[in-house]
Amino acid sequence: MGAPVTVKGLHITAGGQTLVDHLSFAIQPGEVLALIGESGSGKTTTALALMGHARNGCTIAGGSVRIGDADVLTLDPAGQRALRGRRVSYIAQSAAASFNPSRTLMDQVVEPTLIHGLMKRAEAEAKAIALFTELALPSPETIGDRYPHQVSGGQLQRVMAAMALITDPDLVILDEPTTALDVTTQLEVLRAFRRVVRERRATAVYVSHDLAVVAQMADHILVLRNGQMQEINATEEILSQPAQPYTQSLLAAARPAPRVSPQGCGSELLLDIHDLSAGYGPTDLKGQPEKLILQHIDLKLYRGQAIGVIGESGSGKTTLARAVAGLIKPCGGGIIFKNGELAPTLAERSKEELRQIQIVFQMADTALNPSQTIEAILARPLVFYKGLRGPALQKRIRELLDLVKLPHTVASRLPGGLSGGQKQRVNLARALAADPDLILCDEVTSALDTVVGAAVLDLIAELRRELGVSYLFISHDLHTVRAVCDEIVVMKDGHKLAQVARADYDRGPHHPYYELLERSVPELRRGWLDEMDTARLTT
């Protein structure tokens, strides 16, 4: 397994725009090359071209791609179909969106071997079980009988890796495979991916914007910007001696600096959550939901303060934010806001209560109406809460765009014409349009690349300093939370385990689970994952 890959003069266009500009590189058998850069740099576009594929509206306009003895771009459609899933395989960012929910995992994992006629069903299933074992999946003998919704996100990502590896491909493409995972799950998936890639001597391309993850996986790094190569070198050299200013800026953004407002917070209690419990599903006679997510949460947030809430997927972080926002009805306890008890649901809250608490969702793509212009999106809360019309409305829209550092020209554009970072800024502007006292930020940077995410964090800190807004900042990234928050609340399985003040971030001992989360965030240096594995074996 593992074949040389040679790319020469790869040129990809969309209409009159160049997406990848005459790119050339080579990967030796058994090596892992990382493609890094901001959103829109051409990472995924380049990776897909290695399979001879271009997304809708894109054209591979020139160049060559060779995988072993196969000249990928000269193959006819039948030849490319024979190549994909057999000699080159692809592990996508979102496993949940990539599996068929109506078929078992085993059916889908063995499908490539059946399509390409490589082995019979029984042999393929035996090989799948061996891969499940290699990838450290629980109950490898029976997990294939489950459906996609019956396993966790990290498990599903590893099942996708098994599907990609079952045909023993010459090249494996991993496209942001751990971005959507929490830190502890990401660590386990990284371990599994790296072990399998090393043991099988696979040639691999790892697409990511996370340099700390890349440092653990890649032998070489290729830095892309606007479709052009900035530099390519061994991972150690890129991390220690980057040649280009752009690479230096990526490295700087990957090391989050504190962004806490120097003014600190006031003494006025803004939000008082007491004994809060909430869940989903039908309720019993006592009003308890079928699935209890939050259990007896207590939390106080003062005016001007930013509190971070961290924990693994399923810990109850987002449910807490949704309960405060009125999007889910608590089944116990209560929420006091500015000395008044908040009604449990949006429908029961006053217009003024709705205005004072705003939420910014994780996925900017789905939070903005794709058929409305940015001007119309920002105008809606201004009309609803402030009653603005005419010149006053237009003036305030321009002021909001200035606040989030977007040009006035975006007002006439649809969300589809904006980058991920720009869309998230529009989400912030929409929240600010109501002049809220509290903004709930739910994983607002997890889908963004390092540079754009750092810019959004800077913006949040600046708005807090200038407007005195308070934040409840939900995240699974401890480094991000430490950079922007005064205190950190640690959650697991719906319970609040600890609350750590900024002054104590670097002073222990802390709750063991907090320390686990801290240890699980990849460090920006080679060998970190090896050290973690060694430490795990010796404890």
Side-chain angles (χ1 to χ4, degrees), residues 266-277:
S267 58
E268 179 189 348
L269 183 60
L270 184 69
L271 179 72
D272 185 2
I273 299 170
H274 53 93
D275 201 31
L276 187 72
S277 298

Side-chain angles (χ1 to χ4, degrees), residues 28 110 369 451 481:
Q28 298 305 311
V110 302
N369 188 328
V451 172
V481 169

Side-chain angles (χ1 to χ4, degrees), residues 186-498:
Q186 173 182 259
L187 182 59
E188 293 305 316
V189 172
L190 277 178
R191 281 192 175 114
F193 282 178
R194 193 179 67 161
R195 182 174 59 251
V196 169
V197 166
R198 281 182 172 179
E199 290 176 357
R200 291 171 168 265
R201 296 293 299 159
T203 303
V205 169
Y206 197 101
V207 176
S208 182
H209 60 251
D210 191 332
L211 275 164
V213 167
V214 163
Q216 316 313 317
M217 292 292 297
D219 301 295
H220 292 81
I221 294 175
L222 189 161
V223 183
L224 281 168
R225 186 183 192 188
N226 299 327
Q228 296 182 331
M229 182 193 298
Q230 299 298 295
E231 61 180 299
I232 184 170
N233 210 333
T235 300
E236 294 88 345
E237 295 298 319
I238 292 285
L239 296 180
S240 61
Q241 297 180 334
Q244 296 298 317
Y246 177 67
T247 309
Q248 295 166 11
S249 72
L250 291 178
L251 287 165
R255 299 182 175 98
R259 295 173 170 87
V260 174
S261 168
Q263 297 175 350
C265 55
S267 58
E268 179 189 348
L269 183 60
L270 184 69
L271 179 72
D272 185 2
I273 299 170
H274 53 93
D275 201 31
L276 187 72
S277 298
Y280 298 92
T283 57
D284 59 21
L285 294 176
K286 296 181 180 179
Q288 293 298 303
E290 183 179 61
K291 186 171 184 180
L292 195 61
I293 304 295
L294 286 182
Q295 300 183 53
H296 309 296
I297 302 297
D298 293 300
L299 183 121
K300 295 181 188 295
L301 185 146
Y302 291 85
R303 183 173 293 280
Q305 190 178 26
I307 289 183
V309 182
I310 65 165
E312 297 171 284
S313 298
S315 62
K317 306 184 303 295
T318 294
T319 301
L320 175 61
R322 291 174 66 86
V324 173
L327 297 174
I328 178 174
K329 185 177 182 178
C331 60
I335 304 169
I336 295 174
F337 185 74
K338 299 176 74 171
N339 299 317
E341 188 84 19
L342 272 181
T345 65
L346 283 175
E348 300 170 281
R349 293 185 184 178
S350 68
K351 188 175 180 179
E352 181 64 6
E353 287 173 331
L354 295 177
R355 181 193 67 78
Q356 292 172 334
I357 300 176
Q358 296 290 308
I359 187 167
V360 179
F361 294 100
Q362 176 179 359
M363 301 305 295
D365 285 324
T366 56
L368 299 175
N369 188 328
S371 66
Q372 290 198 345
T373 64
I374 303 307
E375 180 178 10
I377 289 169
L378 296 181
R380 186 170 183 182
L382 294 172
V383 172
F384 181 72
Y385 292 119
K386 304 290 185 178
L388 296 183
R389 295 285 192 281
L393 176 62
Q394 296 301 316
K395 179 184 177 184
R396 185 55 182 156
I397 289 173
R398 291 193 297 270
E399 290 172 349
L400 287 169
L401 292 174
D402 289 337
L403 270 177
V404 297
K405 295 180 170 54
L406 284 173
H408 295 172
T409 53
V410 305
S412 61
R413 294 163 67 180
L414 296 172
L418 304 183
S419 70
Q422 288 174 323
K423 281 184 272 196
Q424 201 61 289
R425 287 168 186 262
V426 171
N427 273 330
L428 270 173
R430 179 172 58 182
L432 292 167
D435 287 332
D437 295 288
L438 173 64
I439 296 181
L440 310 169
C441 294
D442 188 7
E443 300 274 15
V444 294
T445 61
S446 64
L448 304 178
D449 65 64
T450 308
V451 172
V452 175
V456 170
L457 293 181
D458 284 332
L459 175 63
I460 286 171
E462 185 176 327
L463 293 172
R464 178 184 168 200
R465 183 170 58 250
E466 293 182 357
L467 304 178
V469 140
S470 301
Y471 291 97
L472 194 64
F473 198 96
I474 310 296
S475 181
H476 63 248
D477 186 339
L478 183 59
H479 283 183
T480 295
V481 169
R482 285 172 61 127
V484 298
C485 296
D486 303 304
E487 296 185 16
I488 295 175
V489 169
V490 184
M491 293 185 64
K492 182 175 173 60
D493 299 329
H495 294 277
K496 176 184 171 183
L497 300 184

